[in-house]
Amino acid sequence: MDGARLVGDLVRWQVTIHDLYLNRSVAADEAFEALIAPARRAFVLDDEVFASVAPTRSPQDVLAVAEEPRWPRWSGERGCGVWLDGLQDPGNVGAVVRAAAGLGAASVLLG
């Protein structure tokens, strides 16, 4: 996961975060303490190293390797679902998931 907002969502949902990687530029920021505490391991990386391990072209200073959340399967019998396919920016995924939840979608499916 890339970005403080998405990693913060994982923390709020009590998803296990195995590894957390912080860009040195934000590592001392108190706002990130809530992300560091629940992580099993946390690493601070220099800018160059952080950029080389990030899966996106414009990393957002926080990366996490997390347990895949286990949610109940959506049968499609009730409520609507949102299908996402080919999104490249994790921030867009997070925005769509939050919007879908706010509008009462029963499921968000990733392709």
Side-chain angles (χ1 to χ4, degrees):
M1 301 302 285
D2 182 11
R5 181 175 285 167
L6 290 177
V7 175
D9 288 344
L10 294 175
V11 170
R12 233 183 14 265
W13 298 330
Q14 299 178 348
V15 173
T16 301
I17 298 175
H18 297 288
D19 297 318
L20 183 72
Y21 300 92
L22 296 168
N23 193 332
R24 186 170 302 284
S25 64
V26 300
D29 189 332
E30 290 180 16
F32 291 92
E33 287 181 19
L35 304 180
I36 296 170
R40 290 185 176 170
R41 298 183 302 183
F43 304 92
V44 176
L45 305 176
D46 290 326
D47 293 345
E48 224 173 90
V49 175
F50 189 87
S52 72
V53 299
T56 59
R57 283 181 239 152
S58 301
Q60 300 179 28
D61 296 324
V62 180
L63 299 171
V65 176
E67 191 78 27
E68 185 175 342
R70 302 287 182 222
W71 310 111
R73 290 197 175 267
W74 176 61
S75 67
E77 294 173 6
R78 289 193 285 166
C80 69
V82 176
W83 172 256
L84 303 178
D85 189 28
L87 287 177
Q88 306 237 336
D89 182 349
N92 291 340
V93 174
V96 171
V97 168
R98 286 187 297 279
L103 294 170
S107 183
V108 176
L109 308 166
L110 304 175

